[in-house]
Amino acid sequence: MSVQVIEKNGQIEWAVIPYPEYQKLLDAWEMLEDIRAYDEAKANIEAGEELIPSKVAYALLDGKNPIRVWREYRGLTQQQLAEKAGISKPYLSQLESGKRNGTTDMLKNIAQALHVGLDELVDVSGEPE
């Protein structure tokens, strides 16, 4: 690799390299970043981080009610989730249909019962979806 060094006040200030060499360095750096991201993702999965299946992701992106989507993914009936969250089945049904919003505490209980974070059940503005 040919490098031109530019000094300022006796200190190396710049290193100039041919563009093809720069491109090789950039490609290598990007590959290293990809490897690090892969290693981090793999470690997170091994530590118990859950992957969200495409079926769930697409349902959420399509605007379906997140409580219902996660409940169905977890294989729970409305009655089972209602019992785990300490609410009535009709109340849960109203939450899933959008007829009621639910309190933050109630949504926390539901999130805990579904083993998801509260942010999985509410939109970015903090309002229930």
Side-chain angles (χ1 to χ4, degrees), residues 1-2 4 19-20 27 39 45 51-54 56 60 69 79 91 100 109 112 117 124:
M1 177 187 309
S2 64
Q4 177 188 358
Y19 188 78
D27 291 346
D39 289 344
I45 291 167
L51 297 177
I52 299 175
S54 61
V56 172
L60 295 171
V69 170
Q79 185 64 44
Y91 183 67
R100 293 184 77 172
N109 290 345
Q112 186 176 17
V124 293

Side-chain angles (χ1 to χ4, degrees), residues 6-13:
I6 301 172
E7 294 183 7
K8 181 178 179 182
N9 299 329
Q11 298 291 321
I12 296 176
E13 185 80 10

Side-chain angles (χ1 to χ4, degrees), residues 4-92:
Q4 177 188 358
V5 176
I6 301 172
E7 294 183 7
K8 181 178 179 182
N9 299 329
Q11 298 291 321
I12 296 176
E13 185 80 10
W14 297 89
V16 181
I17 60 173
Y19 188 78
E21 295 296 327
Y22 164 77
Q23 195 61 50
K24 284 181 189 176
L25 288 173
L26 186 59
D27 291 346
W29 176 76
E30 288 175 351
M31 179 63 75
L32 180 59
E33 288 296 308
D34 290 345
I35 291 169
R36 286 182 179 156
Y38 171 82
D39 289 344
E40 182 180 345
K42 188 174 178 183
N44 289 342
I45 291 167
E46 289 172 358
E49 183 176 300
E50 180 179 24
L51 297 177
I52 299 175
S54 61
K55 175 176 141 180
V56 172
Y58 287 132
L60 295 171
L61 289 171
D62 286 342
K64 294 190 176 162
N65 181 278
I67 297 172
R68 177 176 287 149
V69 170
W70 283 107
R71 176 181 61 76
E72 290 174 352
Y73 173 67
R74 298 284 188 226
L76 298 172
T77 64
Q78 281 187 337
Q79 185 64 44
Q80 290 169 323
L81 178 56
E83 288 173 4
K84 287 179 178 251
I87 60 175
S88 70
K89 180 182 170 188
Y91 183 67
L92 176 61

